[in-house]
Amino acid sequence: MKRFLSGDEALAEGVRLARPQVISAYPITPQTVVVERLSEMVEEGALAAEYVHVESEHSALSCAIGASATGARTFTATSSQGLLYMAECLTYASGGRFPIVMMNANRATALPWNIYGDQRDSLALLDHGWIQVYAQDNQEALDLALMAYALAEDPAVMTPVMVNLDGFALTHTYETVDVPEPEQADAFLPPYEPAGNHFDFEHPVNIGFSAGPEYNRYFKYWEHRDMLNAPDVVTQIERRFAEVFGRQYTGMIETLSCDDADVVLVTLGSAAGLARSAVAQLRAEGVRAGMLRIRYLRPMPSELIAEALRGTKAVGVLEKDISFGSEGTVFTNVNSALQQAGVCVPTYNFIGGLGGDDISESQMIGMFRALQQAAGGADPAILPHVSFLGVDDVLPADALGLEGGR
């Protein structure tokens, strides 16, 4: 059924179709609409679930952990400071191998106080043991809600999943979305079958135990090993998803015109839509431009990224994040992927969209123009390896329609 939905509403519809048994909710902008819609679904009887309105984000994830420990399929949602507040619980969930699905509405972190969207919240917590996936549009948000449960609950993975939506750019904008019928969703996602890490009086297990140095390393190794199983499982899940729903996704990454590209821009989330338009425009001008969208940032698809960027002359990484005193977190990860694979290509980091700042079409074209100059052997000093859009004067003036720069 075609419906006109915001990203928050689309994800809520996906959660409804996944039939979680427990929903723990604490509202925070711009995530609030998700838990509001789910509360309405429970109240109206469209979703049979225990809806628990908790007193904080920390409690929201704590509640989800407790519910998952009983063998229930669980859902919660958060954003920004709320995600940071529940950081302590993230490692409990991942270390306990509880297959919780959580939506995070990407939003700037304080101070200064800001409710608009960048990605510093989730990127600050990449090392907390959760699979992280980033939606580009509202249809993908709905579909990821279903696929996230299939991934988290797979016995080879058994790891919680964080589905990230750009705040306001996706959460509060409306698009036409195909909402599947419940029978389709049930055919794709069967009821959750707990796999040993839940309370069971017939087969009791120890949950939440301590492990000293001689054993702790094994648990951390297993946690790492099983997250590395996720890419193969993602491939299997997306194949089944296409069979049931007729929509095909591209796995851990998505590439556009990268096969013969001289310059490629790497990004994640909703900014990929604008990058896609810029690539089409530049290709029409004869510029060999390409885009690489990282869909899953954990586990890191290093080999896929390196192979897609092999042979390019310059690579830019656009991200809504900065690791203060260093560089963008995505940039660090992409450089690591290239280094591991022995791919030698100059890379440049563009920091944009902080605090919800618009990334314009002219800036997007400008980044590609700057990469062209770098690929053509321009003085490296012209384009620093890390630059802030709207602050550093690094984009070619002609790309911005200006006479002498900004």
Side-chain angles (χ1 to χ4, degrees), residues 45-382:
L47 174 60
E50 290 293 328
Y51 188 93
V52 186
H53 188 188
V54 297
E55 67 272 19
S56 73
E57 293 89 355
H58 189 285
S59 299
L61 189 49
S62 297
C63 177
I65 291 169
S68 186
T70 69
R73 180 175 287 166
T74 63
F75 175 79
T76 190
T78 191
S79 179
S80 183
Q81 302 297 130
L83 178 62
L84 301 185
Y85 185 28
M86 63 169 60
E88 176 189 20
C89 302
L90 290 175
T91 56
Y92 275 83
S94 59
R97 313 303 295 277
F98 298 117
I100 299 163
V101 170
M102 177 168 66
M103 176 266 199
N104 177 58
N106 284 120
R107 190 190 108 183
T109 53
L111 282 172
W113 190 251
N114 181 294
I115 65 168
Y116 299 101
D118 63 34
Q119 295 164 333
R120 286 181 294 143
D121 50 2
S122 57
L123 293 178
L125 298 173
L126 279 177
D127 300 332
H128 282 54
W130 285 58
I131 292 169
Q132 285 202 22
V133 58
Y134 291 77
Q136 178 186 244
D137 54 36
N138 296 356
Q139 184 68 65
E140 189 172 22
L142 185 153
D143 295 345
L144 282 173
L146 284 166
M147 289 189 279
Y149 280 106
L151 178 59
E153 295 170 1
D154 189 282
V157 178
M158 288 301 293
T159 299
V161 176
M162 184 188 304
V163 180
N164 292 284
L165 273 67
D166 284 334
F168 293 99
L170 291 186
T171 61
H172 284 62
T173 57
Y174 282 75
E175 297 176 337
T176 300
V177 176
D178 183 9
V179 180
E181 295 300 321
E183 295 76 17
Q184 289 179 292
D186 292 343
F188 170 75
L189 183 68
Y192 172 44
E193 292 292 337
N197 61 334
H198 70 290
F199 299 118
D200 186 338
F201 290 112
E202 300 300 323
H203 305 92
V205 295
N206 195 344
I207 296 177
F209 49 83
S210 297
E214 67 274 30
Y215 295 111
N216 193 281
R217 62 180 180 269
Y218 293 108
F219 288 99
K220 297 300 103 180
Y221 166 72
W222 293 328
E223 193 175 337
H224 172 68
R225 177 200 64 190
D226 292 352
M227 189 185 282
L228 292 179
N229 290 333
D232 287 341
V233 176
V234 166
T235 299
Q236 297 166 17
I237 289 170
E238 291 185 352
R239 187 180 300 119
R240 286 197 296 111
F241 191 91
E243 292 171 356
V244 175
F245 301 104
R247 286 189 293 279
Q248 181 66 58
Y249 287 95
T250 59
M252 304 295 287
I253 66 172
E254 177 193 5
T255 59
L256 175 66
S257 302
C258 287
D259 290 345
D260 66 342
D262 291 329
V263 293
V264 173
L265 192 67
V266 179
T267 191
L268 69 163
S270 60
L274 187 56
R276 192 185 310 278
S277 175
V279 168
Q281 180 178 333
L282 290 164
R283 284 276 169 172
E285 299 174 9
V287 178
R288 295 199 296 183
M291 181 205 72
L292 189 155
R293 176 169 73 104
I294 300 175
R295 296 184 67 235
Y296 288 82
L297 197 55
R298 283 296 181 273
M300 180 64 182
S302 297
E303 294 181 4
L304 294 173
I305 290 172
E307 191 57 35
L309 299 180
R310 190 184 300 275
T312 57
K313 296 179 180 179
V315 171
V317 177
L318 169 64
E319 58 186 298
K320 302 177 181 181
D321 161 77
I322 179 67
S323 180
F324 299 108
S326 181
E327 58 194 18
T329 300
V330 183
F331 188 60
T332 299
N333 281 259
V334 169
N335 281 327
S336 175
L338 295 174
Q339 175 67 24
Q340 290 173 47
V343 175
C344 185
V345 56
T347 57
Y348 302 92
N349 196 190
F350 300 104
I351 309 298
L354 297 183
D357 191 21
D358 284 337
I359 299 173
S360 68
E361 181 182 39
S362 61
Q363 285 179 325
M364 189 67 74
I365 295 293
M367 284 180 271
F368 279 105
R369 299 286 192 213
L371 291 173
Q372 276 187 281
Q373 292 183 0
D379 183 351
I382 294 176

